[in-house]
Amino acid sequence: MNDCQMIREAVEAYCRRRGIAPAGWSPRAALIDMDGTLIDSMRNHTAAWKRLADELGLDADRDEFYLYEGMTGRATIRLLYKRAKGYEPVDEVCDELYVRKASYFNEMPRVSVIPGASEMLTRLTQRGITRVLVTGSRQLSNLDRLDTDFPGAFLHDLRITAADVTKGKPDPEPYLKGMELAGGLSPEQAIVIENAPLGVKAGHDSGAFVLAVTTGPIPREALLDAGADLVFDTMEQLADALPALLDGRC
Ligand code: CA
């Protein structure tokens, strides 16, 4: 199957599911995840989480943190405590521990941007697609660098972070709030760009069309199982597919 056919079939399947005509599908905003989608930060995040868990005596495997990608820090800390000690710490304790984890992240070498992420954002911008950041992170060092790494791509009032939601991914709340922020869009007017199963599930459950990319050890099957409409092996491939997807040339 060529790319064009793959894209057309994915859009047709999505439109059938949402009860709309493929000819009428015309996304106006892209809701875009940060870690693992824009910046290659997951290796550092998993190492920082593992260090924190070890220090607290909470048994954990470093790779399991790839599966929690997208969850808020509070949710990850609650999960670790519940499993190891049978209780969940109060929010204040979670927030203190998250600050510690964030400081471990900051001690590590600066992470690079995901190859193809700039091209992806440029193609969206050229087509007049509004870009909204939707991240479960509160890591200020990463949020602050977006303006440097991707100048003009994300307006400051078009960003959803862990501070803006009560539930966080895999709940659809962050993506639904992103649609609200983009001007009260319907799910059929939004696409989601994600790299992790919990984020893909959040996007899928929000009703948006979900583009997923494998940028870490998580296999493409896990992204399809979570509800991705299209999965790409690299962000470059995703960026290359945007003209066909958004210009309706397939
Ligand atoms: Ca991610």
Side-chain angles (χ1 to χ4, degrees), residues 33-37 42 69-70 194-196:
D33 168 59
M34 181 172 72
D35 289 290
T37 294
M42 284 313 298
E69 186 183 345
E194 263 288 352
N195 77 308

Side-chain angles (χ1 to χ4, degrees), residues 78-242:
R78 283 193 211 111
L79 180 151
L80 293 174
Y81 267 90
K82 182 100 193 229
R83 189 178 65 193
K85 299 186 187 285
Y87 70 91
E88 297 181 351
V90 296
D91 286 350
E92 291 70 24
V93 173
C94 291
D95 291 348
E96 273 170 34
L97 292 173
Y98 184 70
V99 167
R100 203 157 123 194
K101 180 259 165 184
S103 73
Y104 297 158
F105 181 95
N106 288 338
E107 287 174 18
M108 284 182 267
R110 184 181 163 87
V111 295
S112 50
V113 302
I114 295 278
S118 293
E119 290 76 7
M120 176 267 286
L121 292 167
T122 301
R123 286 185 186 146
L124 293 170
T125 307
Q126 285 167 343
R127 284 165 180 77
I129 304 284
T130 303
R131 288 84 48 211
V132 182
L133 184 80
V134 181
T135 176
S137 176
R138 296 178 93 143
Q139 184 86 34
L140 292 177
S141 57
N142 288 337
L143 291 164
D144 287 347
R145 61 178 280 185
L146 286 175
D147 293 329
T148 319
D149 289 338
F150 309 106
F154 297 100
L155 297 180
H156 280 255
D157 57 356
L158 291 179
R159 301 179 184 194
I160 299 285
T161 74
D164 301 306
V165 297
T166 51
K167 295 181 191 131
K169 303 169 189 177
D171 192 277
E173 184 192 7
Y175 282 114
L176 293 171
K177 287 213 159 159
M179 292 171 202
E180 227 174 272
L181 212 53
L185 301 185
S186 68
E188 293 79 20
Q189 293 173 312
I191 58 173
V192 161
I193 301 181
E194 263 288 352
N195 77 308
L198 295 183
V200 167
K201 180 171 172 20
H204 175 84
D205 290 353
S206 78
F209 186 91
V210 181
L211 301 170
V213 60
T214 55
T215 59
I218 293 169
R220 57 184 291 122
E221 290 71 28
L223 300 172
L224 286 168
D225 289 349
D229 292 285
L230 280 170
V231 180
F232 298 90
D233 293 328
T234 66
M235 184 55 87
E236 284 117 329
Q237 287 177 12
L238 189 154
D240 287 345
L242 285 177

